[in-house]
Amino acid sequence: MLSNTTFCITTFGCQMNKHDSEKIAGMLEQLGSIPVETNQEADISIFVTCCVREKADERLMGQVASMKNLPLRKGTPFSKRYVAIGGCIGQRDGDNLQKKLRHVDVVFGTHNTEALPGLLLEAIETGSKQSQIVEGRAEFHDDLPEHREHPWAAWLPISVGCNNFCTYCIVPYVRGHEISRPLEEVVATAQRFVDEGVKEITLLGQNVNSYGRDLYGEPKFAQVLDEVAATGIERIRFVTSHPKDLTDEVIERFAMHENIMPALHLAVQSGSDRILAAMNRRYTAEHYLQLVEKVRKACPGIALSTDVIVGFPGETEEDFQATADLVRQVDYSQVFTFIYSKREGTPAAKMPDDTPREVIQDRFDRLVEIVQESAYRQNQQQLGEVVPVLIEGSSKRDTLMVSGRSPRNQTVHAEIPEGVDIDQLKGQILPVKVEEALTWYLKGQLLDFPAGAAK
Ligand code: SAM
Ligand code: SF4
Ligand code: F3S
C-alpha cells in the first residue's frame, strides 16, 4: 500500500519514544515503505516528539517548519511530502499543531502509536488532515512488528505513564497515570525475544520500581526481574528507578542473577532536602545515600548513573552545594545534567523563580566539571581488565575498530585483528582487554572472536 515510498523517523526524548519509533518503522515497513536516514530522501517524515524541556519543543517546531520548503525526493510517487507528528507533543497539543504548522498531515499521541499507518493512508487517500489523540489507555501491542535498531537488543515496556507528579515534570500529564503490563505478558515477550536470539533486554517504565502496584496491589518488580532472568537472556537492564520505591528485594537481585547487568540509573535530581521536598520527590539526600550504600554492598563495582536538575525555582548556592557534594560523594559513572525548564501546567511553573540565568549556567558548568572527573575515575578503574563487550558494529571514530557496551554500560572501542569481518562480530559478546580509559569511553584489544568471522 505504501510500496515505492520511503520514510524517515526523527525521534526525540526518552527510551519510550525510541521504542515507539521501532514499532512505527516495523508497521510502515510491513506496508512496503522503505526506511531512509534523512528527510531529504523521505516521502513521509515522522516526528516522535518530547516536551520534557523547552529546548526539545523548540527544536521540533524548527525542524517541522523546515519540512515545508524541502524539495521532494526524485522519483517520489507523491505530489507532496507527508508529515506526521506523534509522541508527547502530539499528545499534548493534538490538532492545535496543525493550526500552527499547516503542512502537518497527521497528528497522533502516545497512547495510539498503532493508529499512525491508518491515519497516514487516510491522509494520502483523501488529502485531508488527520488527528487522533486518545487519553489514558495502555496498549502494549506485542502483536505489532518492530524494526529494532539492533536485532540483538530489545526494549520491553513493563509499564507506561507515571503517578509521581514531581512538581517540575510534564510526563504524568502527557503519558497519563501508571499502567502496568501483566507479568505473564512481560515474561512471554522476554521469552520470545530470547527465542529470536536477542542478547539484551532493557525493561522500560517511568518508574520500574512501582511496577504492578495498579495491577496486583503491591509492587512486583523484583518478581519481574526473577522471571525475566529465568528466561536465560544474557543481559538485563532497566530504566528508570525512582529512589523512593527502590526496595531491598530489588537491590538483592543484582547479587542473585548474573544476567542483571551491574548498572543502575537512580535519578537523584538534587542533593538538597529543601529542593527535593519542593520537587515532591519524597526522599531525602540521606535516604538516597543509604540506598547507594546498599546497592554497592550488593553489587560491588556497580556503575551508578543519575539525572540532576540545576536551577529549580528558589535553588540557592547552598542548595547547589548540597547537590555538588552528593554527586562528588556518590562518584557516578554518568550524570545527565539538566537546567530546569519551566513547563506550563506543572506546579513548579507557578513557583517564584528569580535566580539569574548566568548564576544557573555557572552552577551547571561547575557540576559538569565534577561529573567529568568522576566519570574519568570510574572508567580508570577498568584499566587492564578484560570486559565482555556486546559488539554493536564498527566504531564511528575509526571504521577499523568495533564498538559496543560493557556490562557497566560503558562504550568500548576495540581494535580487531586483521582479516576479521566486522559484520560477523555484531551482536556477539566478546572479551576486550581495556588499555585506555578516558572520560567517555574505554579502548582496548579484542582478545577472541568466533572462528567464522575470519575473512
Ligand atoms: N521517570 C524518570 C525518573 O524519574 O527518573 C525520568 C523521566 S524524565 C523523562 C528524565 C529527566 O528529565 C528527569 O529525571 C529530570 O531530571 C529531567 N526533567 C524532567 N522535567 C524537567 C524540567 N522541567 N526541566 C529540566 N529537566 C527536567
Ligand atoms: Fe517525571 Fe517524576 Fe514521573 Fe520521572 S518520576 S516521569 S521525573 S513525574
Ligand atoms: Fe519526553 Fe515524553 Fe519521554 S516528554 S522524556 S518523550 S515521556
Side-chain angles (χ1 to χ4, degrees), residues 12-14 17 49-52 88 170-171 174-175 206:
F12 299 86
C14 64
N17 275 8
T49 61
C50 170
C51 53
V52 79
C88 291
I170 194 84
V171 170
V174 283
R175 291 271 172 178
Q206 291 298 346

Side-chain angles (χ1 to χ4, degrees), residues 14 52-53 162 164 166 168-171 205-207 240-242 265-267 269 281 307-309 336 338-343:
C14 64
V52 79
R53 283 170 292 276
C162 181
N164 291 317
C166 301
Y168 49 82
C169 185
I170 194 84
V171 170
Q206 291 298 346
N207 178 12
T240 309
S241 282
H242 195 304
H265 185 78
L266 195 59
Q269 315 296 1
R281 290 290 290 178
D307 293 346
V308 174
I309 296 178
F336 298 91
F338 305 109
I339 287 185
Y340 167 73
S341 171
K342 181 174 170 176
R343 302 282 67 199

Side-chain angles (χ1 to χ4, degrees), residues 16-184:
M16 301 285 172
N17 275 8
K18 288 187 188 147
H19 176 255
D20 285 347
S21 293
E22 292 186 345
K23 294 269 182 205
I24 293 169
M27 290 188 287
L28 294 182
E29 279 184 70
Q30 205 173 48
L31 293 173
S33 198
I34 298 161
V36 289
E37 295 283 315
T38 64
N39 281 309
Q40 275 90 336
E41 306 160 84
D43 306 324
I44 304 163
S45 293
I46 299 146
F47 295 87
V48 180
T49 61
C50 170
C51 53
V52 79
R53 283 170 292 276
E54 200 175 353
K55 256 202 201 129
D57 247 66
E58 285 167 357
R59 264 175 60 206
L60 171 85
M61 296 303 166
Q63 284 204 18
V64 175
S66 73
M67 289 296 106
K68 208 159 59 183
N69 301 320
L70 196 66
L72 294 186
R73 172 181 76 92
K74 247 195 204 151
T76 177
F78 300 143
S79 56
K80 59 172 291 217
R81 173 176 284 101
Y82 285 88
V83 178
I85 301 186
C88 291
I89 298 184
Q91 183 73 29
R92 186 193 61 187
D93 295 354
D95 57 7
N96 281 331
L97 278 169
Q98 288 160 316
K99 290 176 193 142
K100 269 189 272 177
L101 299 158
R102 295 192 158 272
H103 59 298
V104 172
D105 302 282
V106 174
V107 177
F108 60 108
T110 50
H111 298 286
N112 63 338
T113 308
E114 77 290 350
L116 171 67
L119 295 169
L120 200 54
L121 290 172
E122 188 74 16
I124 294 167
E125 265 162 40
T126 63
S128 62
K129 303 220 171 298
Q130 303 292 318
S131 160
Q132 194 185 93
I133 305 299
V134 176
E135 300 287 342
R137 182 176 63 127
E139 298 274 323
F140 288 96
H141 286 301
D142 217 25
D143 48 334
L144 294 180
E146 62 189 22
H147 177 131
R148 291 197 288 271
E149 185 186 357
H150 300 302
W152 57 85
W155 307 110
L156 203 175
I158 63 169
S159 62
V160 292
C162 181
N163 293 345
N164 291 317
F165 292 94
C166 301
T167 54
Y168 49 82
C169 185
I170 194 84
V171 170
Y173 305 92
V174 283
R175 291 271 172 178
H177 61 278
E178 186 178 271
I179 304 176
S180 304
R181 183 179 192 178
L183 184 57
E184 15 354 312

Side-chain angles (χ1 to χ4, degrees), residues 301-329:
I302 192 168
L304 291 172
S305 57
T306 200
D307 293 346
V308 174
I309 296 178
V310 176
F312 185 81
E315 183 191 74
T316 61
E317 177 59 24
E318 200 184 341
D319 294 319
F320 172 73
Q321 279 306 332
T323 301
D325 288 347
L326 183 141
V327 169
R328 253 189 231 107
Q329 199 176 333

